[in-house]
Amino acid sequence: MDENSNPKTKYSVLEIGEVKYNTLFTKKYLNRKPYIPENPKQIVSFIPGIIKKIYVKTGSKVKAGDKLLVLEAMKMNNDIIAQTSGKIQKINVKTGDHVPKNFVLVEIK
């Protein structure tokens, strides 16, 4: 800290490795959306598109790598596959639905 700095300024401690730094975070940084890790049990759309075909039904068992549905985006058919094994708990779409980006398509239990 500089000896000329305002004593009312509140510094935050940022720890990188074993080194601690006193720093000021910008308002933009403080108001950012916090990081939330992806849930492999929720299959979300990575791009807006149209559901062309659904290969699974509620209650069916799937293994990691199985095709779940086809999402058409930008004139390309994208196979959406299961990231993890489990049982289909809920299907939130039907054939012909338009879905936005980051929409939960299928939930696996």
Side-chain angles (χ1 to χ4, degrees):
M1 289 189 292
D2 187 355
E3 55 191 50
N4 295 330
S5 64
N6 185 349
K8 293 182 180 180
T9 303
K10 184 175 178 180
Y11 287 89
S12 298
V13 176
L14 176 65
E15 189 172 341
I16 301 176
E18 296 180 8
V19 180
K20 293 183 180 182
Y21 300 93
N22 288 326
T23 187
L24 295 173
F25 293 119
T26 62
K27 287 182 182 179
K28 182 179 178 181
Y29 178 82
L30 294 172
N31 292 330
R32 77 192 186 289
K33 185 177 176 182
Y35 172 73
I36 300 172
E38 288 185 23
N39 181 355
K41 299 285 187 180
Q42 290 185 336
I43 309 301
V44 298
S45 58
F46 63 95
I47 192 169
I50 302 170
I51 303 301
K52 286 297 186 178
K53 185 171 184 174
I54 300 174
Y55 294 110
V56 294
K57 294 182 181 178
T58 302
S60 58
K61 293 183 180 181
V62 293
K63 291 183 260 178
D66 286 353
K67 287 184 185 180
L68 300 176
L69 51 91
V70 175
L71 175 69
E72 181 187 309
M74 297 173 43
K75 299 183 182 179
M76 293 181 63
N77 290 330
N78 300 284
D79 290 330
I80 306 299
I81 60 172
Q83 300 170 347
T84 185
S85 299
K87 188 176 183 181
I88 301 296
Q89 182 176 12
K90 188 174 181 185
I91 301 173
N92 297 320
V93 293
K94 60 185 181 297
T95 303
D97 282 356
H98 292 264
V99 294
K101 182 179 179 180
N102 296 326
F103 183 80
V104 178
L105 304 169
V106 178
E107 297 175 31
I108 300 175
K109 186 175 180 181

